[in-house]
Amino acid sequence: MRILAIHSGVHDSSAAAFNDYELLAAVQQERLIRHKGWGAEVPWLAIDEVLRTAGWIRTDVDAIAFVRGYFPTQYYRFPLINELHYVWQRQFGRERTKRDIADLCRRFGIEDTLTFFRPDRFLADNGFRADVPVRFVNHHEAHALAALFFTDWDDALIYTSDGVGDNVSYSMRALKEGKLECFYGDDRWFLPPVPCAGLAYAYAFATEACGFRRLRHEGKLTGLAAYGQPTLAPQLADCFTFGKDGLITAPFKTWDEMGDRVKAICRGHPRETIAASIQKVVEDLTAQSVHYWLKQTGARRLTLAGGLFANVRLNRLLAETMPIDEIFILPPMGDDGLSVGAGLAALLARDGLASWLSKRRRLDNVYLGQNYDDRIDACLAQTTAVRKHDGSPVEIATDMVRQGKAGAVYTGRMEFGPRALGARSIIASPSDATINDTLNKRLERSEFMPFAPYVLEEDAERVFDITPVNRYAAHFMTITCGVRPEWRERIPAVVHVDGTARPQILRESENPLFGGILRRFRDATGLPVLINTSFNVHEEPIVNRPQECRKALVDGRVDFVVTNRAVYTKD
């Protein structure tokens, strides 16, 4: 069965294509529309991109799975009083052209989303077959299933946390003895009023209090937290309560009420203090909740999803303090990963849990976007502003990195999720700490974390505190860990002030160009890591198409671009 899975939420919209359990393609709309975090509309560019990558057209699709999100109003059937209201608004030019279907379900107390949605009209208007079944999936179920599917565990606690999705901010599920039980967060909690209790939203409001953009720059606070003291943590913690039922609650009736309280506490304080304080509150409460549910379920393995777990310091704390044998964080942990979860939920509904569990697998990589290897070299070579260097791409690129230059790797299929993992990455030597400032200036970034390193699998444990608990997660840059003391002064550009780094462990066979440059650099210098930072300018999505790569080179954002065929520099 060919499944098209779609997330059209308020931010980070995406699409994915499955051929039964094979995930053929997945892409965020932001990469195509070139607007970071884009959402609140059906992601048609992403839909057509994953269909093209899978080799399908719209009439090939056998099933469509949605997470509740935004749709044009022509695809809704409203209760009569609302229908008259919209007719009146239309007469005066004030009609809303799109609405969040979850809000409608909640407002009218109706769980069945198809009560409001017209699948026949959606299918007919957009070129799909009329017989294609359409399914809506719970927000946190999609988070949870996507995280669980890419494990091979017999028991697990599946814990999700984000701002809000389908009326709740968390979910807790446990896999045990072939059964999957949801304790909180499925559609049973979708309709009743739920207090605004999202730790991720509190973190977002603290981000705003620091002068940064909410739902965009939370990572800046994660980096800043190491520079401050958590003196505001007691006041911020008073905004929340951890109950005997293992749930985090808050007294606020609206998100704005929470935002006003958080910003009032933060007002007048340095950014470092705010960052350290909200980080401590999030860590303390999340750890308390996770520990409770691990004890309740008896699980020894922990998998995480939802936007809160983009916080790599929090993930490290859980890995190192919880009584677990292994941790895994879904690489597209935020709402961009919901499309993958929606497709997996459709398969679970079709096949049942036993069959679904038997199809699970560990994730090798997230190279799920379009492959432009057949076009990138022609694109770079067609302008006189770019010079091609003949010879071995690996050797030339390595020599340039050793000379202190920063270059971009552009190879194969684009990564899915927020991290650059070697397909659209900037690389540089980790030995010079000043490169953080110079490269950030070239990329117009204001980052407080150091650049992340990547390391070959064979070298990971001798450089970083890699254990059986965090190894799987460290393949996808979703967790920080300690840098061994003997390496900290040798690779300062990738070591944070607290002695940690956010590594990517690489299997060279999965990306021979990316891995080959590192291996040659290691053999020549004795340094087994290179910088890996995302190939993008501040406030722009990661580079996708060849034209975007060429523009970055011509604009001087990087010193060179290396592809599978050649190295290119600005002439």
Side-chain angles (χ1 to χ4, degrees), residues 3 140 184 246 252 254 280 311 347:
I3 301 171
H140 284 274
Y184 181 83
F252 309 108
T254 67
K280 178 171 174 53
N311 191 311
L347 289 163

Side-chain angles (χ1 to χ4, degrees), residues 527-548:
L527 300 179
V529 306
L530 280 173
I531 286 172
N532 171 17
T533 188
S534 55
F535 187 14
N536 69 303
V537 177
H538 183 57
E539 290 302 298
E540 286 188 7
I542 293 173
V543 159
N544 175 28
R545 298 182 181 89
Q547 293 86 344
E548 296 148 19

Side-chain angles (χ1 to χ4, degrees), residues 72-373:
T73 53
Q74 68 259 33
Y75 301 131
Y76 289 115
R77 52 170 71 92
F78 298 108
L80 179 59
I81 188 169
N82 251 48
E83 193 73 60
L84 294 174
H85 175 68
Y86 282 109
V87 170
W88 180 84
Q89 283 188 317
R90 190 179 301 119
Q91 292 298 319
F92 291 91
R94 292 197 294 265
E95 180 189 20
R96 292 176 64 175
T97 59
K98 54 192 175 185
R99 288 188 65 87
D100 184 355
I101 201 165
D103 285 343
L104 286 173
C105 291
R106 186 164 50 248
R107 177 180 300 175
F108 293 99
I110 295 175
E111 182 181 320
D112 183 6
T113 313
L114 292 176
T115 301
F116 297 105
F117 192 73
R118 291 172 164 159
D120 54 342
R121 184 176 293 182
F122 178 86
L123 296 170
D125 285 357
N126 297 295
F128 298 102
R129 301 196 318 265
D131 62 342
V132 171
V134 173
R135 169 179 292 274
F136 281 88
V137 177
N138 175 273
H139 184 103
H140 284 274
E141 181 188 17
H143 274 317
L145 291 179
L148 178 62
F149 185 80
F150 295 108
T151 69
D152 53 5
W153 303 333
D154 294 328
D155 76 277
L157 171 64
I158 308 102
Y159 191 105
T160 71
S161 182
D162 60 13
V164 65
D166 283 350
N167 214 30
V168 297
S169 298
Y170 319 94
S171 75
M172 301 86 178
R173 289 171 169 80
L175 173 66
K176 189 173 184 178
E177 298 177 351
K179 297 180 180 178
L180 183 61
E181 182 176 0
C182 179
F183 301 98
Y184 181 83
D186 63 16
D187 278 351
R188 286 174 289 171
W189 287 272
F190 177 42
L191 299 178
V194 177
C196 299
L199 288 172
Y201 250 122
Y203 207 100
F205 288 127
T207 300
E208 205 166 46
C210 288
F212 301 124
R213 186 169 176 179
R214 178 169 37 131
L215 302 179
R216 177 74 60 80
H217 296 147
E218 283 76 8
K220 296 181 186 295
L221 264 67
T222 308
L224 274 173
Y227 294 92
Q229 295 298 318
T231 56
L232 301 176
Q235 297 177 65
L236 291 168
D238 283 344
C239 296
F240 300 92
T241 300
F242 181 74
K244 293 181 180 180
D245 56 0
L247 300 180
I248 301 166
T249 58
F252 309 108
K253 295 181 179 179
T254 67
W255 298 111
D256 287 340
E257 189 179 335
M258 174 193 276
D260 291 343
R261 178 61 180 151
V262 169
K263 285 185 270 191
I265 294 171
C266 296
R267 191 169 294 120
H269 293 277
R271 294 185 302 184
E272 294 82 358
T273 300
I274 297 171
S277 300
I278 192 64
Q279 181 71 25
K280 178 171 174 53
V281 171
V282 165
E283 288 179 357
D284 289 351
L285 282 169
T286 304
Q288 194 174 2
S289 180
V290 169
H291 188 269
Y292 173 93
W293 289 104
L294 285 169
K295 186 176 180 180
Q296 287 292 112
T297 61
R300 295 287 306 177
R301 297 166 182 84
L302 174 64
T303 186
L304 307 169
L308 186 70
F309 297 113
N311 191 311
V312 291
R313 288 188 52 174
L314 169 62
N315 299 342
R316 180 198 179 197
L317 175 81
L318 297 176
E320 296 182 356
T321 63
M322 295 295 109
I324 57 175
D325 298 325
E326 191 170 26
I327 191 170
F328 173 64
I329 304 97
L330 184 71
M333 70 291 290
D335 282 2
D336 44 1
L338 289 172
S339 57
V340 174
L344 291 168
L347 289 163
L348 176 59
R350 185 193 72 177
D351 297 342
L353 182 61
S355 178
W356 189 92
L357 290 173
S358 71
K359 301 296 195 300
R360 290 178 303 148
R361 61 179 177 83
R362 291 207 169 212
L363 191 62
D364 293 324
N365 60 69
V366 288
Y367 301 140
L368 294 166
Q370 188 68 257
N371 188 330
Y372 289 103
D373 280 351

